[in-house]
Amino acid sequence: YMNSVLTCLINCKELVYYFLNEDYLKDINDEEKDIPREFSLLIYKYWVDNIENVDPEVFKDLLSEKFPQFNGNKQQDANEFYISVLNSLNESLIQ
């Protein structure tokens, strides 16, 4: 579930440009900066460092703090994970 969602997100051109160009830094909420910074690092590792098998463990751990249903390694709903990631990014970035 997590792999498919993250693969889709790190291949979304507009999202990739937003994070790779560090545009998100001007929008970041200082109180909730960890999730967007870690997400940016995932994108950077994949697109700049050309690491095909990026380990999302830190990102998952941060998200699990906010959404405990993602603790552990049991199968989860991909749509629920997708919505949780987008909501977390949305809340962490000032509109």
Side-chain angles (χ1 to χ4, degrees):
Y1 75 94
M2 186 173 60
N3 182 41
S4 59
V5 169
L6 291 178
T7 298
C8 289
L9 290 174
I10 66 172
N11 283 287
C12 177
K13 183 170 47 172
E14 291 82 5
L15 197 59
V16 169
Y17 290 150
Y18 178 72
F19 280 94
L20 280 184
N21 292 330
E22 297 184 343
D23 292 338
Y24 79 97
L25 291 174
K26 70 181 184 317
D27 298 329
I28 202 164
N29 177 348
D30 286 333
E31 295 174 13
E32 297 185 34
K33 60 187 174 195
D34 294 335
I35 289 177
R37 286 199 174 151
E38 191 60 36
F39 184 74
S40 177
L41 187 58
L42 289 176
I43 290 174
Y44 188 88
K45 286 178 182 177
Y46 185 80
W47 287 106
V48 177
D49 293 342
N50 293 317
I51 299 172
E52 290 184 22
N53 296 317
V54 177
D55 184 0
E57 182 177 0
V58 175
F59 181 74
K60 180 188 175 286
D61 290 344
L62 288 170
L63 206 63
S64 295
E65 289 176 16
K66 193 170 188 172
F67 303 100
Q69 67 267 32
F70 299 118
N71 279 331
N73 294 320
K74 64 181 185 174
Q75 186 66 28
Q76 298 290 337
D77 182 65
N79 185 53
E80 186 177 353
F81 183 75
Y82 173 74
I83 291 169
S84 299
V85 170
L86 291 183
N87 282 341
S88 292
L89 290 173
N90 184 50
E91 292 170 4
S92 301
L93 301 168
I94 299 170
Q95 313 273 327

